[in-house]
Amino acid sequence: MFIIAVIRQRDTITKELCCLFLYHLGIALMIWLFVGFVIGLKSILFDGVATREFYEQNIGDDYENRYIRSKGALLVTYTLGGLISVVGDIYSMFRKD
């Protein structure tokens, strides 16, 4: 009888830890996506990343093959990138031309 009670208690603790882990994982995922979305909006609206002039200046003659025509697709790319987008943005601020 005592052994069954110990096993049930251990399963309850495992389930609680699993739920707690999934809760924190969900919070981290929401932060990751929110940060990427904000950086994407900043890049598109303020930095002018989605313009042809930006691509012509930074890529050169081969911009037609690399140009993302849809601002929505570019925003999704930044959103999924999350904190990687932040690192790229900070790197581009301190890059020496």
Side-chain angles (χ1 to χ4, degrees):
M1 198 69 148
F2 178 72
I3 296 174
I4 294 173
V6 170
I7 291 174
R8 286 185 183 165
Q9 183 181 8
R10 191 182 74 198
D11 288 343
T12 306
I13 292 172
T14 305
K15 288 177 185 176
E16 288 175 2
L17 288 177
C18 183
C19 290
L20 188 64
F21 172 74
L22 289 176
Y23 172 76
H24 285 70
L25 184 67
I27 296 295
L29 181 63
M30 284 191 284
I31 291 171
W32 177 274
L33 293 175
F34 178 74
V35 167
F37 182 76
V38 169
I39 291 295
L41 282 178
K42 181 191 92 59
S43 297
I44 291 172
L45 297 178
F46 298 115
D47 297 342
V49 172
T51 60
R52 285 186 182 260
E53 294 82 20
F54 178 82
Y55 280 94
E56 289 173 357
Q57 179 184 8
N58 292 324
I59 295 175
D61 297 333
D62 195 29
Y63 79 93
E64 280 296 328
N65 295 333
R66 299 182 187 182
Y67 180 68
I68 299 176
R69 289 169 185 80
S70 173
K71 290 182 182 180
L74 189 62
L75 185 61
V76 167
T77 305
Y78 273 104
T79 301
L80 293 177
L83 295 174
I84 297 171
S85 304
V86 174
V87 171
D89 196 35
I90 292 172
Y91 177 75
S92 67
M93 287 189 326
F94 293 112
R95 180 179 56 188
K96 294 184 180 187
D97 293 328

